[in-house]
Amino acid sequence: MQNKGLIKFFAILFALVSIYQLSFTFVSSKVKNDAKTFANGNPQKELKYLDSIGKENVFNLGFTNFTFNEVKDKQINKGLDLEGGINVILQISVKDVLKGLANNSKNPVFNKSLADATANQRGNQAYIDAFFEAFDANSKGTVKLASPDIFANRTMQGEGGIDFQMTDAEAQKVIRKKVDESVDSAFGVLRKRIDQFGVTQPNIQKLGNSGRILVELPGAKDVDRAKKLLSSTAQLQFWETYKIDEIGNFLMAANEALKKTEIKTPEVKAVVKDTLSALLTDKKDSSATKKGNNPILDKIIQQGGGPVLGLFSPKDTAVVGGYLRRADIRVLLAADQRYAKFVWGKPTTLKDPKGKEIDAVELYALKGNRDNMASMGGGVVTDAKDSFDQLGKPSVTMQMNGQGAKAWEELTGRAFTQKSNIAIVLDNIVYSAPGVSSGPISGGRSEISGSFEISETKDLANVLRAGKLPAAADIVQSDVVGPSLGQEAIDNGTNSALLGLLLVSLWMMIYYGKAGWYANVALAVNLLFLFGILASLGAVLTLPGIAGIVLTMGTAVDANIIIYERAKEELRSGKSLEEAVKTSYGWKGAMRSIVDANVTHILTGGVLFIFGSGPIKGFATTLLIGIITSLFTSIFIARIFIDWTISKNNKLSFVTNFSKNFFTNFHFDFLKIKKWTYAFSALVTIVSIYSLATNGLDQGVDFVGGRTFQVRFEKPVEAEVVKAELAKVFDGSAEVKVFGKDNQLKITTKYKVQEHGIQADQEVNKLLYDNLKKYYSAGLTYDKFVNAYDGKTLGVLLASKVGPTIAEDIKTNAYWAVLGAMLIVGLYLIISFRKWQYSLGAIAAVIHDVIFVLGIYSLCYKFMPFGMEIDQHFIAAILTVIGYSMNDTVIVFDRVREFLDGKKAKGNFNSIVNQSINSTMSRTINTSLTMIMVLLIMFIFGGDSIRGFIFAMLIGIIVGTYSSLFIATPVLCDTMSEEEHKKIEREHNV
C-alpha cells in the first residue's frame, strides 16, 4: 500500500480530533446530570442551575478553557425522541397574508380564488401557486392582480410595490416577495418568543419556501402552554362593550326565534344561579323559561353582569356562536347594534351547587362597526411585563407609544363618561373587560388582569413584547415525547448497538480468524470516526439515527468481507499472501465491487436525506456518514494490520478451521430453476398486489392525517373496550391497538384534525383524559396525564398530530423518493456496467423486493403483535432495502461481468454464469448475514417505536438476497441476445 505513513498520520489525527469533539458531549452530559441531581426532579430549578453556570468554565484542557454554553454548543444533540420535548411544524397562513396584502378585498374573483386554492391545493404545492392558478382560471383575463380593488391598493403601491400597469406575471413576483417577507417576519417573531420560553437549545428553522416553520423545544414539558405560545398571533385589540341590560332583549328575542327552527331536546343542567331570563322577565315558572324549551337560555350555567352576558359550558360555545352568527337571528338586533360582535372570554372554572368544579366561558358583545375595526389596535404597545394587580393576582402591564397613549386617554375618557367597559381582546378572546372609575387614563399605561397563572402572564408578556404574527400560525404537525420514553429509547438503542457490535465482531473472528480481528479493530475505529463527525457537524442523534449506526456496523465489515473473500480465491489459485492481498485490494479485485455497492448506498441515502424530515433525516445522516467512514477504515485501517503481518512473515489465511471448507465446492445451477423462481416470485407478486387492492395498508397518520397517542396504563386494558368508549366522543373516529406491552395502547383518531387551533388540541386531550381516567388510581390529574415530567411512566408518553395538508405532502415526497431512488441507481448501473441489461435486472429485483415487503405488510398488519404502519419510517426502510438489494445485486453482477468479460471459465453461457454466481456465494451470504444479525438484534431489543421500521428492512434484506440470485441474474441473462450468448461461448472455449 502506497503512502502508508501518510494514511497512518491522517488516521491518528482524525482519531484525536474525534476524541476531542466527543469530549464536549461527555462533559456536557456530566454537567446536566449534576443539574438533575441538584434539582431533584424540579425542571425549573434544573434550568436555573444550567443558566447560572452558562458562562462558567467547566472544561479545562490545560491550554484553553470552555464555558458550559460553549461545551453545550459542541456536543452531539439528542433528538426529541431521545431527549423528550415538543416538535411542531407551523404553517403561516398564506391565505391570511394575501388577504392582508389585498386590504381584505371584497372582489368576488379574488375571494373565489382564495377558496378554490384552499380546496384544490395539491400535495407539495405551495398555497400561493394554487392561488395564482385559481385566479387565472377564475379571471379569464378580465380581472388583473394589479387591479385597484385587489393588490394595487394604497398599502401595496410605491417603490417595490404594485402599480396599475403591471401584468399578472409582474404582479406575481411582487406578491411572492411580500409573502416571503411576511414569513420572515413570522420567523423573527417566533424566535423572540422561543428565546424567552425557557428551554435549553431550542431550534427554529424555515422549511424551504413552503411557509412552514419547524420549532423544536427539547425538554419542554407543558404541552398546552408551548402550543399556545407558538400559535398565538398576538392580535391585541381594545373594544368598547355592550352591557347585559343593553343586549339582553336581543338574546331573549333570539331565543324565541330559535324555538321555531331548533329541535327542542330536554336536558338537565346544573345551574349555579338563575339565568339571563331572570333579569328580563318576572315569569320565572312560565313555559317560556321551562328547561328544555330555550335553545340559548338553557345553555347559560351562570348569569352574567355588566359586560358579561352569561357563562356557558365550553362544549356549548360552538352551538351558541353559530346561533349568534345566523343572518336570520342577527336581524333581530336593534339598528344601532347591527354590527355587534359576539366574542368568548378566557376559560374559567365555577362551582356548581354541589361544590363540584365545572368549566365555563364568558360571553361578551363588542361594539363593532362597518369595517369590523377595533377602537384601538395592539400595535401601539411598546413594552409589556408580567406583574401583579392591586389584589395581588398575576397580571400584565403594558406601555404604549405617544400615539397610543393619546388614543387610550380618549377611549378611557369615553368609557368613564358612558360608564361602559373596555374589552382587552387577544386573538379574538376577551382576557378582561374592566370599567373606568377614575376618569381618563393618561400616560399610555394599562393592565390586563383576570384569572391567570404566573406562567400565563409571563408568556403573555413575552408574546406582546415579541410582537404579533403577520398571519395565523396553524400547527399542522406536532410531536410530543415524554423524557421517560426518550430514556427508554436510549436504553434500548444502546443495548441493541452493543449486542449487535458483539455479534458482528464474534462472527468475523469465527469466520476469518486473525483477519477478522483486524476487521473488528477497523470497525471500532469506524465508530469513533462516525461519532466524531456527528459531534463536529452538530448533528442531532435520533432513535432511527441509532438504528443507522447499528446498520453501519453491519455494512462496515462488508468491504472487509468482499476483500477477504477475494484474497482467499487468489490464495487458492497459488498466489503468495502478498500477491493475493495486493490483487484483492486492486480495482480488478474487490475495489470495483466495493465502489459500485457503496455508490448505490450513497445515492439512496442521499434521496432519503433530501426527502426525509426530522428523525428520518437523522437516520439518513448517520447512514451516509457511516458509509464513508466504513469505506476508509475497511480499506485502509485493516490494510495497515494486514501489511504489518506480511512484513513480519506471519501466517494469514483469512479462514479458520470452522470456515475453511465453506462454499469451496459449492456448485448449484441457479439458472436451471429460474422457471420455478419466476413462478414463485410471480405468485408472490400477484398475491401481494391483490392484497394491496383488497386489504390495503395500515396507513399511519403521516400519510392520512390524524392524531396518535401512546398511552400507558397501570394495568392491562382491553383495546376493543377503550375503542368503543372513545368512538362515542370522537364521532366514531377511534383506532386502538395494543402497542408493545399489554398495558400500553396506541390510540389514533381523526377527530378535529383539520382544526389547527390550540382549543381543538386541548379539547381532544381533555376528552381523552375524561374517558381514560377511570383506568387510573385517584390522583392522576389532567396535567400529569397530558404533560411530560421526569420519571413519568403513566398517561400520554407520546402524542403526534399530522394535518391533512402536510400528510399529502409527506405522501407525495414518499412516492418521489422511492421512484427517484430506483431511477438514479438504475442510471448509475447503466453507466457503471455499460449494458442496460444489468440495470434492468437490478431494477426488476428491486421492484420485486418492494412489492414483496408491501405485500407482507398488507397481509399481516391486522394480526402482527407490533405496529406495521406505512409512515415516514417505513419509507426510510424501503429506501434502505433498495440500497441493500442493489448492494447484493452489484456484488453478484460484478462477478458475472468479470467471468463474462474474462476467460477463466469454460462451458456454455449458462454454465459460465452459474460458475460466477457460485464463486460469490461466500461474500453474498456473509454480507447479508451480518446485516440480518444486526437487524434481528434491533428488532428484538430496539424498542416498540421502531420495530415495524426494522421489520421492513429485515424482510427486505432477506428477500433482496434471494432476488439478487434468482431474479436479477436470470433477467440479465434472458434479456441478452442469443447472438451475444454464442459470442461469449466462442471467446471462452477457444
Side-chain angles (χ1 to χ4, degrees):
M1 181 173 62
Q2 297 178 342
N3 301 318
K4 189 187 302 181
L6 187 62
I7 290 171
K8 285 182 180 178
F9 171 77
F10 276 114
I12 293 171
L13 180 63
F14 202 1
L16 291 174
V17 171
S18 297
I19 292 171
Y20 168 77
Q21 291 290 350
L22 288 171
S23 63
F24 294 101
T25 300
F26 292 122
V27 172
S28 178
S29 297
K30 181 181 181 305
V31 173
K32 289 180 179 178
N33 287 334
D34 291 343
K36 285 184 181 294
T37 303
F38 172 79
N40 195 25
N42 186 328
Q44 295 300 323
K45 195 175 180 182
E46 179 183 339
L47 189 62
K48 286 182 180 179
Y49 177 91
L50 294 175
D51 286 342
S52 68
I53 64 169
K55 296 182 180 179
E56 292 183 14
N57 291 329
V58 295
F59 190 23
N60 185 355
L61 288 176
F63 57 89
T64 185
N65 291 313
F66 294 93
T67 65
F68 174 65
N69 287 339
E70 292 171 331
V71 167
K72 187 174 60 176
D73 291 339
K74 294 178 182 291
Q75 70 173 352
I76 296 179
N77 296 312
K78 290 183 288 187
L80 295 187
D81 52 354
L82 300 178
E83 177 81 6
I86 299 171
N87 173 315
V88 302
I89 293 179
L90 296 162
Q91 175 75 66
I92 302 301
S93 176
V94 177
K95 180 178 181 179
D96 288 352
V97 173
L98 291 173
K99 282 183 176 180
L101 294 175
N103 203 19
N104 292 310
S105 171
K106 301 295 191 295
N107 185 286
V109 172
F110 171 76
N111 285 290
K112 186 176 188 307
S113 299
L114 289 176
D116 290 350
T118 303
N120 303 325
Q121 185 181 4
R122 301 185 299 275
N124 263 5
Q125 184 185 35
Y127 181 87
I128 193 168
D129 291 331
F131 167 75
F132 288 146
E133 281 185 12
F135 190 87
D136 288 342
N138 291 324
S139 68
K140 296 182 175 61
T142 60
V143 180
K144 292 172 60 179
L145 289 169
S147 298
D149 63 337
I150 306 181
F151 289 111
N153 53 60
R154 186 177 302 174
T155 306
M156 289 284 282
Q157 289 178 3
E159 186 178 353
I162 291 179
D163 61 53
F164 308 131
Q165 307 303 320
M166 279 186 172
T167 65
D168 279 357
E170 292 171 332
Q172 285 181 13
K173 292 179 181 178
V174 177
I175 295 167
R176 287 183 190 277
K177 182 181 177 183
K178 294 293 185 182
V179 169
D180 288 342
E181 289 174 354
S182 295
V183 175
D184 288 341
S185 173
F187 182 81
V189 169
L190 288 170
R191 179 173 288 284
K192 288 179 182 177
R193 294 183 188 179
I194 291 166
D195 286 343
Q196 300 177 57
F197 182 62
V199 295
T200 58
Q201 294 177 295
N203 175 41
I204 176 171
Q205 55 183 288
K206 288 188 291 182
L207 301 178
N209 296 318
S210 62
R212 290 175 183 156
I213 298 174
L214 169 68
V215 178
E216 292 181 323
L217 302 174
K221 298 177 174 64
D222 192 330
V223 178
D224 293 340
R225 178 188 172 199
K227 288 185 176 181
K228 184 177 180 180
L229 175 82
L230 295 172
S231 60
S232 170
T233 59
Q235 186 75 31
L236 181 65
Q237 297 173 323
F238 301 91
W239 294 79
E240 295 178 81
T241 67
Y242 290 107
K243 290 186 176 181
I244 189 171
D245 54 357
E246 296 174 300
I247 209 80
N249 287 327
F250 160 73
L251 291 179
M252 290 295 293
N255 184 72
E256 290 299 315
L258 286 166
K259 289 181 182 180
K260 303 173 183 177
T261 60
E262 299 303 302
I263 299 175
K264 294 171 282 298
T265 305
E267 55 180 304
V268 178
K269 187 179 296 289
V271 181
V272 180
K273 296 180 181 179
D274 204 357
T275 62
L276 177 70
S277 58
L279 301 173
L280 304 171
T281 180
D282 294 328
K283 301 177 182 179
K284 294 184 179 181
D285 296 319
S286 70
S287 61
T289 60
K290 187 177 179 181
K291 296 296 290 182
N293 288 343
N294 302 284
I296 292 180
L297 301 185
D298 285 349
K299 290 180 169 54
I300 297 177
I301 57 177
Q302 181 170 300
Q303 72 177 24
V308 179
L309 306 184
L311 286 89
F312 296 77
S313 172
K315 67 182 180 64
D316 293 329
T317 55
V319 174
V320 174
Y323 290 158
L324 298 177
R325 287 191 296 271
R326 275 171 46 171
D328 62 322
I329 299 300
R330 290 191 63 86
V331 297
L332 301 175
L333 285 162
D336 60 341
Q337 297 175 349
R338 64 183 181 278
Y339 296 118
K341 182 181 174 75
F342 293 95
V343 180
W344 298 104
K346 184 176 175 291
T348 185
T349 56
L350 303 173
K351 287 188 177 180
D352 66 10
K354 297 180 180 179
K356 180 182 177 181
E357 287 192 346
I358 55 175
D359 295 330
V361 185
E362 296 171 335
L363 178 65
Y364 294 84
L366 309 182
K367 292 184 178 180
N369 49 56
R370 183 188 300 275
D371 297 323
N372 196 32
M373 297 291 290
S375 301
M376 273 185 65
V380 298
V381 175
T382 58
D383 192 20
K385 294 181 181 178
D386 56 295
S387 182
F388 295 90
D389 62 16
Q390 294 177 344
L391 300 177
K393 295 181 179 180
S395 65
V396 175
T397 58
M398 299 177 294
Q399 181 62 51
M400 303 175 184
N401 59 23
Q403 179 185 356
K406 183 178 180 181
W408 182 244
E409 186 172 359
E410 292 176 359
L411 181 61
T412 53
R414 190 161 58 249
F416 172 73
T417 303
Q418 298 175 357
K419 304 300 180 185
S420 60
N421 296 72
I422 300 173
I424 301 174
V425 183
L426 183 67
D427 292 343
N428 217 35
I429 295 174
V430 177
Y431 275 70
S432 62
V436 180
S437 57
S438 57
I441 302 174
S442 60
R445 190 170 182 83
S446 60
E447 182 179 62
I448 303 176
S449 59
S451 55
F452 292 111
E453 299 287 340
I454 293 178
S455 61
E456 288 181 300
T457 56
K458 287 183 180 295
D459 288 344
L460 182 55
N462 175 13
V463 164
L464 293 175
R465 281 196 304 272
K468 70 176 183 178
L469 289 172
D474 295 329
I475 296 177
V476 293
Q477 183 176 348
S478 66
D479 293 288
V480 181
V481 183
S484 56
L485 196 63
Q487 188 58 50
E488 288 180 16
I490 293 173
D491 295 340
N492 292 333
T494 303
N495 293 336
S496 60
L498 291 174
L499 192 53
L501 178 63
L502 179 63
L503 279 180
V504 170
S505 300
L506 189 61
W507 177 253
M508 293 300 290
M509 288 187 295
I510 291 172
Y511 202 89
Y512 293 107
K514 187 187 292 185
W517 276 101
Y518 298 158
N520 290 339
V521 172
L523 174 59
V525 175
N526 172 57
L527 290 175
L528 174 64
F529 289 174
L530 172 58
F531 280 106
I533 292 174
L534 287 173
S536 62
L537 294 177
V540 176
L541 188 61
T542 62
L543 183 55
I546 292 178
I549 292 170
V550 177
L551 283 175
T552 297
M553 293 188 299
T555 58
V557 296
D558 280 1
N560 289 121
I561 290 172
I562 296 171
I563 292 168
Y564 291 174
E565 290 299 324
R566 188 55 184 248
K568 284 161 61 175
E569 292 175 13
E570 300 300 330
L571 287 172
R572 291 192 194 107
S573 68
K575 289 184 179 180
S576 66
L577 177 61
E578 186 174 1
E579 291 173 331
V581 169
K582 186 175 181 180
T583 302
S584 63
Y585 274 93
W587 180 254
K588 292 185 178 180
M591 286 304 107
R592 177 184 283 187
S593 296
I594 291 171
V595 169
D596 282 338
N598 282 280
V599 167
T600 58
H601 278 171
I602 291 171
L603 290 174
T604 53
V607 170
L608 188 56
F609 182 84
I610 292 169
F611 287 96
S613 62
I616 302 306
K617 196 178 286 288
F619 171 74
T621 300
T622 55
L623 200 61
L624 288 169
I625 295 172
I627 290 168
I628 296 168
T629 56
S630 63
L631 275 175
F632 177 81
T633 56
S634 299
I635 294 172
F636 296 111
I637 301 299
R639 177 76 183 274
I640 290 172
F641 289 99
I642 291 172
D643 286 349
W644 176 80
T645 300
I646 294 172
S647 68
K648 297 294 183 181
N649 293 319
N650 291 333
K651 184 180 178 182
L652 187 65
S653 60
F654 302 98
V655 294
T656 64
N657 291 331
F658 168 76
S659 64
K660 63 183 179 181
N661 295 321
F662 279 25
F663 303 107
T664 53
N665 296 306
F666 193 81
H667 301 291
F668 186 81
D669 194 339
F670 289 91
L671 296 181
K672 184 178 180 179
I673 64 167
K674 66 180 181 181
K675 291 182 180 179
W676 294 103
T677 57
Y678 279 164
F680 170 73
S681 293
L683 178 63
V684 169
T685 301
I686 292 169
V687 171
S688 297
I689 292 174
Y690 177 78
S691 180
L692 288 168
T694 57
N695 202 31
L697 292 162
D698 184 18
Q699 296 190 60
V701 295
D702 283 0
F703 279 13
V704 296
R707 305 173 191 268
T708 296
F709 302 89
Q710 184 176 328
V711 185
R712 190 171 293 174
F713 298 84
E714 294 172 336
K715 299 176 182 178
V717 293
E718 291 291 335
E720 289 301 318
V721 173
V722 173
K723 178 180 178 179
E725 292 171 346
L726 293 178
K728 295 177 182 177
V729 295
F730 288 149
D731 291 343
S733 174
E735 185 67 35
V736 181
K737 298 178 181 177
V738 174
F739 190 70
K741 301 174 183 178
D742 55 6
N743 68 328
Q744 187 168 262
L745 296 180
K746 188 171 188 177
I747 299 169
T748 304
T749 178
K750 292 184 181 180
Y751 181 71
K752 291 199 173 181
V753 70
Q754 291 184 319
E755 296 184 23
H756 301 304
I758 183 67
Q759 291 83 5
D761 291 345
Q762 289 177 335
E763 180 186 344
V764 173
N765 289 341
K766 193 73 167 57
L767 287 172
L768 194 67
Y769 170 71
D770 289 341
N771 285 272
L772 297 182
K773 63 183 179 182
K774 63 185 176 185
Y775 294 104
Y776 297 93
S777 303
L780 187 71
T781 62
Y782 169 80
D783 286 339
K784 287 187 175 181
F785 177 79
V786 172
N787 293 323
Y789 54 88
D790 290 332
K792 180 176 181 177
T793 57
L794 298 175
V796 177
L797 302 185
L798 182 149
S800 177
K801 169 191 169 185
V802 180
T805 304
I806 202 166
E808 190 64 31
D809 291 354
I810 291 170
K811 190 184 295 186
T812 303
N813 281 342
Y815 291 148
W816 282 114
V818 174
L819 293 175
M822 289 185 184
L823 179 62
I824 292 170
V825 173
L827 289 173
Y828 172 77
L829 292 180
I830 290 176
I831 295 170
S832 178
F833 284 86
R834 294 184 176 84
K835 285 187 177 180
W836 62 268
Q837 290 91 342
Y838 286 97
S839 182
L840 179 63
I843 293 296
V846 166
I847 292 174
H848 165 274
D849 299 343
V850 171
I851 291 175
F852 195 105
V853 174
L854 288 171
I856 290 289
Y857 269 62
S858 177
L859 289 165
C860 303
Y861 76 83
K862 292 183 178 178
F863 57 85
M864 278 292 193
F866 54 88
M868 298 182 76
E869 289 185 349
I870 308 301
D871 54 14
Q872 290 189 82
H873 291 81
F874 178 81
I875 297 303
I878 288 293
L879 288 173
T880 308
V881 166
I882 290 172
Y884 286 106
S885 178
M886 289 291 187
N887 184 358
D888 283 339
T889 303
V890 165
I891 291 173
V892 175
F893 276 6
D894 184 74
R895 183 50 61 94
V896 171
R897 174 176 57 182
E898 182 182 343
F899 270 59
L900 293 180
D901 291 347
K903 298 187 176 55
K904 59 171 67 177
K906 304 291 183 182
N908 60 30
F909 179 83
N910 283 2
S911 174
I912 296 169
V913 173
N914 276 317
Q915 289 177 62
S916 66
I917 300 175
N918 280 292
S919 69
T920 194
M921 284 304 294
S922 184
R923 65 170 78 172
T924 301
I925 297 300
N926 261 323
T927 53
S928 296
L929 187 61
T930 53
M931 285 301 306
I932 290 170
M933 278 196 298
V934 295
L935 286 171
L936 198 57
I937 292 301
M938 283 294 291
F939 178 75
I940 296 171
F941 299 102
D944 300 322
S945 59
I946 61 169
R947 192 157 284 142
F949 164 59
I950 297 298
F951 183 73
M953 285 194 285
L954 186 59
I955 296 298
I957 298 302
I958 295 171
V959 176
T961 305
Y962 158 82
S963 67
S964 299
L965 299 171
F966 297 104
I967 301 297
T969 308
V971 168
L972 165 67
C973 296
D974 290 345
T975 52
M976 293 176 71
S977 66
E978 189 64 29
E979 182 180 341
E980 194 163 1
H981 285 202
K982 291 178 180 179
K983 178 185 174 184
I984 291 171
E985 289 172 359
R986 286 196 301 270
E987 291 174 351
H988 284 71
N989 294 291
V990 175

